[in-house]
Amino acid sequence: MTPSERLCINCHVPMVKAAMNYKGLKFEARQCPKCREKIFTEELTMKAISQLEKNRLEPKYTKQPIKIGHSWGVTFPKEVADVFHLGNGKTKLVMHPNVEKNRIEIVLE
Ligand SMILES: [Zn+2]
């Protein structure tokens, strides 16, 4: 049995993958082939949340650097700040400048 495989609590048969529709979005669930009971595991819930958060974000954002004193800043769109919890006071942004690729990568810690 794979870790994501569950037995139906009523019928004790392995549940199968099933799609669940909610507000036009498709989520993966598990369904008993016998009694049609559907369940949503913690793992599937986490997956669904990531999917919802992904849907809130644009594939890319274009920003202009802002001069702040002697430094330069960049603003984050509200939905990006929300999804990545930028406002919780603990989030650290680690910058990885890559000159060859003309890229500054920001990693959350
Ligand atoms: Zn069942």
Side-chain angles (χ1 to χ4, degrees), residues 9-95:
I9 50 162
N10 307 312
C11 322
H12 305 283
V13 295
M15 297 185 104
V16 294
K17 263 190 197 180
M20 213 179 220
N21 278 294
Y22 181 73
K23 292 190 177 177
L25 292 168
K26 244 185 174 183
F27 297 105
E28 193 187 315
R30 294 287 178 272
Q31 189 171 35
C32 172
K34 228 172 130 189
C35 71
R36 316 304 293 169
E37 172 93 349
K38 268 188 186 171
I39 61 153
F40 214 56
T41 63
E42 192 183 337
E43 185 204 346
L44 292 172
T45 308
M46 298 314 281
K47 251 197 216 171
I49 291 170
S50 304
Q51 198 186 319
L52 278 173
E53 291 192 324
K54 230 162 111 186
N55 288 340
R56 290 173 65 192
L57 304 176
E58 303 288 332
K60 80 172 198 187
Y61 296 89
T62 304
K63 292 282 175 184
Q64 211 144 28
I66 302 163
K67 198 161 177 19
I68 307 164
H70 292 292
S71 299
W72 290 88
V74 65
T75 57
F76 291 87
K78 193 186 180 301
E79 66 271 23
V80 174
D82 288 347
V83 168
F84 292 97
H85 312 289
L86 299 186
N88 76 1
K90 284 182 234 151
T91 307
K92 277 200 183 112
L93 300 174
V94 181
M95 268 188 254

